[in-house]
Amino acid sequence: MLHTNFTEKLLGLQDLIIGKIEDNEKEIHIYGEMKRKPHKCPCCGEFTDKIHDYREQTIKDIPLFDKKLFVHLRKRRYRCGCGKRFFENNKFLPRYHRMTNRLSAYIINELSNEASFTSVGRKVDLSTTTVMRIFDLVSYSPQKLPDVLSIDEFKGNTNKEKYQCIITDPVNKIVLDILPKRYESYLTKYFLRFNKAERQNVKTFVSDMWKPYASLASKLFKNAEQVVDKYHWIRQVFWAFDAVRKEVQNNLSKEYRKYFKKSRFLLMKRFDKLTDEQKQQVNIMLYVSPSLSTAHFYKEDFLKILDCEDRDSAKKAMSEWIDSALDCGLPRFKKCTNTMINWLNGILNSFSNPITNGFTEGCNNKIKVLKRNAYGYQNFNRFRNRILHMFAYKHL
């Protein structure tokens, strides 16, 4: 008796009277029946303990010791005085199901990481379609808007759209929602679902340099400070410098081109962070091309702006750099400078507000892993729920 009780607790089948257990290399089979007790008739409401007949049902359960687990349940049908016949109550097996409640819960828990439906189905010996059908019971609704709102897009290739949109709370590290499109008209319609008072409570709006985001913030989040993520505006200068480096490199001999290609890291890195030997190598490369030397000078001068500790000093340094870069004679830097002018207010706000899109970008990387493991998603709602489910578990 002690052994039976221990087995019931170990397997989590306390209400099941275990008859025997069969074990082989791949599977465990448990045979048993529920404890007999009076049941209430669903028709007349009277209690009865009269048994009409027995039927055996094979039920799938969660894997145990890396083996498939099957429960062979000897189910009773009770007979009431009113003529109604009904099956006994069962807490771990829903009606018409052939798997336990905890197997469904186990599947949903396994889908809280980047695993694909197919891999989870293979683990629990269920078809991919069945796993998807179980997961489709999971649903997430849009949450309330936080004080700090971050928005970005990622390449989802779902629902015939190349890009999907992610909305997060970067302070509390919560993914709020996933949207199928990043167009301004759709985003406006989505955020208008929230009342005006809730939208006015948003104090900071963080985004990259996508114009619909800035336009959206100006129209619907008038009390929010618009912040352009530092990574996105800093890389504009590095893109401009690298474009100049490539142009110079393409005009060099084969021997010099190989040297420049292998030395890209030295040219991109901040000059004062290099060793004396590395500085000498960079100076040799800059001596080859006046345009590359000019581009390197403006790149290094720009990086000094990042040392500014407040908005006012950054505004002064940025204005001086823009005025100088506009007359540098490099088309790449002129284009970069015009971009800085267009987004100057959001860029300067990033000096007074330390919040970035770092958390959101990290979420995008996890989404890419999820999508790659599944070889893509066609159903957007399922894709959205997988993402929200994954990050909901990370937050717990």
Side-chain angles (χ1 to χ4, degrees), residues 208-225:
D208 57 15
M209 304 169 84
W210 173 248
K211 286 185 178 180
Y213 296 158
S215 177
L216 179 74
S218 300
K219 291 190 300 183
L220 300 183
F221 302 96
K222 296 183 179 180
N223 293 342
E225 180 183 44

Side-chain angles (χ1 to χ4, degrees), residues 290-320:
S291 60
L292 182 63
S293 178
T294 302
H296 188 269
F297 168 79
Y298 281 100
K299 186 262 294 184
E300 290 295 317
D301 197 36
F302 175 81
L303 293 178
K304 295 177 182 177
I305 301 175
L306 305 182
D307 298 329
C308 296
E309 298 180 353
D310 55 69
R311 193 181 194 279
D312 293 335
S313 59
K315 182 177 181 180
K316 181 180 178 181
M318 183 69 77
S319 298
E320 293 175 353

Side-chain angles (χ1 to χ4, degrees), residues 238 241 245 259-275 277-283 285-286 296 299-300:
F238 281 94
F241 174 73
R245 179 192 67 82
Y259 181 77
F260 266 65
K261 187 173 183 179
K262 293 179 181 178
S263 302
R264 176 180 178 276
F265 170 77
L266 297 179
L267 290 169
M268 300 293 284
K269 190 174 180 180
R270 201 162 180 166
F271 190 75
D272 55 8
K273 300 290 185 181
L274 300 175
T275 63
E277 182 180 354
Q278 291 174 334
K279 288 179 180 179
Q280 185 177 2
Q281 293 178 16
V282 170
N283 287 329
M285 287 185 282
L286 298 180
H296 188 269
K299 186 262 294 184
E300 290 295 317

Side-chain angles (χ1 to χ4, degrees), residues 50-64:
K50 295 180 181 179
I51 299 173
H52 178 68
D53 61 8
Y54 286 89
R55 294 182 181 180
E56 185 173 296
Q57 181 179 357
T58 303
I59 307 162
K60 285 187 177 180
D61 202 358
I62 59 175
L64 185 65

